[in-house]
Amino acid sequence: MTTSPQGFTDIASTVTAELQMLLKTDAAAKGLKNLYSELMRKAKPTKVAIRTLEGLQYSYHDLSAASARMAHFIRSLGLTPGSRVAARIEKSPEALMLYLACLRSGMVFLPLNTGYQSEELRYFFNDAKPGLVVCDPSALGWIAPLAKSSGCHQVETLGSAISGSLLEKAAPFSDDFPTLACGPDALAAILYTSGTTGRSKGAMLTHANLASNALVLHHAWHWQESDVLIHALPIFHVHGLFVAIHGALWAGAQMVWMSKFDASAVVQECARATVLMGVPTFYVRLVESGLLTAERVKTMRLFISGSAPLLAETHQAFTQLTGQAILERYGMSETIMLTSNPYQGTRRAGTVGFALPSVELRLVDDHETPIKLKPGQESAIGGVQVRGPNVFAGYWNMPEKTKEEFAQGGWFKTGDMGQFAADGYLVLVGRSKDLIISGGYNVYPKEIELLLDDQPEVYESAVIGLSHPDFGEAVAAVIVPDPPEIASRMGPLDEAKILSRLRTMIAGFKLPKRLFFLPELPRNAMGKVQKNVLRERFASTFSAD
Ligand code: MLC
């Protein structure tokens, strides 16, 4: 087991002391009452918290007042603390206010990717049983019936241009709301992550999980009130919603809010900002934009990358152009952030750095036995397991699955394979789970294979991730046409037809970017599909894109 030998020694004692105060459970102590209060502790009411590219500005007072009105409205619906509020809404400052309103009123925020289609939403609504669903006005027509069929009769809209029924109905309420002291173990959010079986699991994150991680990252990345964060990520995942937003709010800093990533807009904002967080695709596109120079990013103090592996060549190209080293870190929905390259030490390409303070990491072998680390020597490769206040409270409605994912002693099995370098940097070397990460989004092949196998022309399928210059990995599917006896005589099937059917069922980022047709899938002696053979065969598919 290792904590961070040389990574974060400078802040370890501060973090430990502050965490002790924050996570005190004894009622008389000044412990964590509600994440919202911690996020707003340093807020100066008149300071601009969010600036949009369209020229709108929102002060910390605006965030507080608008989230208070929404919190009152939500409570007026009869929702009690612990009720789920599902949101499939476009990115906007008002969407952030809805999240804050849920925290304040003790609701459980359930953010949903705006790409999710009806079958995906049906599953989430039936599983989480939200008391309120909020969607974009343009999607009300098809989302309201889905919500109703799951038993949710409260559906409101929130548009990206200060519009929607939620704002209208919240407007008459007071700007003051007594933030609920729900305590550290109350659920703050459920984030659905796809799974190896094709069934999504709702990772339950508590106020303590989120607050402890925000505190640790505040110190690890040296957040300052004077920081200006370029926020170009979506806000329905850990990265954009928690790591980025919490970082800025916790420091009382400012965010430049972009509805989506745009390389030239980001470079332009770099002239006034200090921090950027992005997935590797952001950095690939920034490098390719031809706009990056050291002069243009001279006010920037920190570029952070995560959610997918950053290629060393992207890291190096970025440094060559800007003179700055990207800080790569490692996290996931179930654990928020686990490791980070050091702020002050060497940010080493191809590694995810050291365990953050308060986070314990270990590697285990195939028999779940912890791998012994020898000082100054590279470790063996093993499964990465994690323990700490950041680790989630389990999967919603899935006690058995939760049990399976934890080893004895409360260690969460990340599903990633790693190795410690001789000087303690963690290198991720693969995954034990069959997972594709495309542009920072996780895609589990099984979910797509089940849908493909249901198509009339398909006998069976294998979904694989192929190297892609922009997305890192891209989803592709190999299909054996139905019936297999005549497959060898059939010409290529209609790729577009199959894909257009799938498009109505799943989010666009999960849609295979290519379909290949084969008479049969390669299998090993045990009958298992040899995906590595398929990956090798089609490896260069996207290389010329
Ligand atoms: C969009 N498309 C993608 C895609 N994003 N395809 C594969 N992978 C992706 N990531 C598809 C769309 O469906 C669409 O297809 C076409 O590309 C154009 O869509 P777009 O919206 O214009 O795309 P673009 O703006 O280029 O978006 C790419 C991106 C975006 C990389 C900027 O995907 C993004 O912001 N990703 C960030 C994901 C993220 O925040 N991950 C954090 C997870 S948290 P068509 O066919 O309709 O044209 C986590 C934990 C941790 O993992 O550690 O952080």
Side-chain angles (χ1 to χ4, degrees):
M1 192 227 324
T2 178
T3 47
S4 40
Q6 57 273 73
F8 295 101
T9 41
D10 54 332
I11 56 163
S13 57
T14 312
V15 168
T16 307
E18 289 189 15
L19 273 180
Q20 254 168 19
M21 287 301 296
L22 186 76
L23 301 180
K24 265 182 183 164
T25 42
D26 109 51
K30 267 186 23 188
L32 176 63
K33 305 272 190 288
N34 188 304
L35 168 64
Y36 173 82
S37 313
E38 302 304 322
L39 291 176
M40 298 301 260
R41 198 170 286 287
K42 294 212 182 80
K44 296 211 171 90
T46 55
K47 172 159 178 174
V48 174
I50 299 180
R51 178 164 62 73
T52 70
L53 291 193
E54 294 73 37
L56 296 174
Q57 295 199 339
Y58 296 78
S59 67
Y60 273 94
H61 170 75
D62 293 334
L63 293 188
S64 154
S67 64
R69 293 193 293 271
M70 288 186 195
H72 278 296
F73 169 66
I74 292 170
R75 293 302 296 270
S76 77
L77 297 174
L79 267 62
T80 49
S83 301
R84 275 75 58 212
V85 174
R88 184 191 181 276
I89 46 182
E90 296 299 330
K91 184 177 179 182
S92 69
E94 289 71 26
L96 168 57
M97 291 160 183
L98 174 61
Y99 166 55
L100 297 177
C102 290
L103 290 179
R104 301 184 75 170
S105 56
M107 303 300 152
V108 182
F109 191 58
L110 174 44
L112 295 167
N113 193 314
T114 44
Y116 286 151
Q117 300 300 309
S118 53
E119 287 319 298
E120 291 157 313
L121 294 187
R122 190 189 308 281
Y123 173 81
F124 300 133
F125 293 164
N126 279 327
D127 192 49
K129 297 273 176 244
L132 168 65
V133 169
V134 185
C135 66
D136 191 80
S138 65
L140 183 66
W142 62 274
I143 289 187
L146 283 176
K148 287 192 177 124
S149 73
S150 77
C152 176
H153 295 279
Q154 301 288 350
V155 182
E156 302 296 341
T157 59
L158 183 60
S160 53
I162 320 183
S163 57
S165 64
L166 178 69
L167 294 180
E168 283 161 28
K169 292 184 184 174
F173 286 94
S174 164
D175 284 0
D176 283 322
F177 181 86
T179 295
L180 185 79
C182 52
D185 298 330
L187 286 192
I190 296 178
L191 294 195
Y192 275 92
T193 66
S194 301
T196 42
T197 59
R199 236 185 114 199
S200 287
K201 301 165 290 181
M204 300 189 289
L205 293 161
T206 65
H207 283 248
N209 293 148
L210 296 169
S212 63
N213 214 237
L215 186 156
V216 167
L217 294 177
H218 177 78
H219 291 288
W221 294 342
H222 293 224
W223 276 99
Q224 305 293 329
E225 194 187 326
S226 54
D227 272 323
V228 178
L229 169 75
I230 300 176
H231 195 304
L233 287 158
I235 56 167
F236 36 69
H237 286 304
V238 158
H239 199 163
L241 182 59
F242 301 143
V243 189
I245 290 175
H246 289 178
L249 296 185
W250 195 278
Q254 188 182 111
M255 289 182 267
V256 184
W257 202 251
M258 297 185 185
S259 54
K260 63 187 288 195
F261 175 78
D262 174 77
S264 61
V266 166
V267 175
Q268 207 162 354
E269 289 303 322
C270 279
R272 303 188 270 177
T274 60
V275 181
L276 173 72
M277 280 185 205
V279 294
T281 303
F282 283 20
Y283 292 101
V284 169
R285 292 184 187 180
L286 284 170
V287 166
E288 278 178 356
S289 72
L291 298 168
L292 278 182
T293 62
E295 179 61 24
R296 287 198 171 122
V297 302
K298 71 170 189 264
T299 62
M300 295 291 292
R301 67 170 186 85
L302 187 55
F303 290 95
I304 300 173
S305 177
S307 310
L310 180 73
L311 289 181
E313 65 198 56
T314 308
H315 195 286
Q316 279 142 14
F318 188 89
T319 301
Q320 250 173 13
L321 290 167
T322 63
Q324 301 211 29
I326 299 169
L327 179 151
E328 192 171 0
R329 64 27 171 211
Y330 162 46
M332 58 185 59
S333 299
E334 289 91 338
T335 64
I336 330 170
M337 296 301 101
L338 322 175
T339 75
S340 168
N341 265 277
Y343 182 75
Q344 275 162 331
T346 306
R347 299 173 194 168
R348 191 175 302 160
T351 82
V352 292
F354 305 100
L356 286 160
S358 83
V359 176
E360 290 177 280
L361 275 191
R362 69 176 188 180
L363 300 179
V364 297
D365 65 18
D366 290 347
H367 308 286
E368 300 263 323
T369 308
I371 291 171
K372 284 212 173 66
L373 303 181
K374 299 193 185 109
Q377 282 184 34
E378 184 181 82
S379 77
I381 292 174
V384 179
Q385 299 193 342
V386 55
R387 192 161 72 169
N390 54 314
V391 176
F392 75 134
Y395 294 112
W396 176 259
N397 271 343
M398 288 187 177
E400 288 308 314
K401 187 75 198 157
T402 303
K403 225 183 274 169
E404 270 171 39
E405 301 291 324
F406 280 88
Q408 256 193 355
W411 293 93
F412 174 65
K413 306 172 190 174
T414 63
D416 291 311
M417 305 297 293
Q419 179 174 35
F420 287 108
D423 51 4
Y425 284 76
L426 179 65
V427 181
L428 296 175
V429 295
R431 299 169 200 135
S432 57
K433 289 176 184 164
D434 194 11
L435 165 71
I436 300 165
I437 307 183
S438 176
Y441 288 135
N442 290 359
V443 182
Y444 277 89
K446 193 77 196 168
E447 182 184 357
I448 321 299
E449 286 163 2
L450 289 173
L451 291 174
L452 281 170
D453 294 352
D454 271 353
Q455 302 307 305
E457 312 86 330
V458 177
Y459 175 67
E460 63 174 349
S461 62
V463 168
I464 50 175
L466 296 177
S467 171
H468 189 282
D470 186 36
F471 293 124
E473 279 183 295
V475 178
V478 183
I479 283 175
V480 177
D482 191 28
E485 313 82 69
I486 60 164
S488 53
R489 282 186 274 122
M490 289 171 77
L493 294 191
D494 191 344
E495 184 172 344
K497 210 158 96 187
I498 297 178
L499 287 178
S500 73
R501 257 184 258 133
L502 240 57
R503 191 178 277 279
T504 61
M505 298 181 210
I506 47 170
F509 68 88
K510 296 182 191 172
L511 201 68
K513 298 214 181 292
R514 277 295 305 272
L515 297 185
F516 301 102
F517 297 96
L518 289 183
E520 61 182 358
L521 297 176
R523 293 183 187 275
N524 65 14
M526 312 290 289
K528 194 170 179 311
V529 175
Q530 291 172 302
K531 288 198 173 176
N532 54 333
V533 173
L534 295 173
R535 276 190 290 264
E536 269 166 41
R537 174 159 179 182
F538 298 111
S540 60
T541 304
F542 298 108
S543 57
D545 272 12

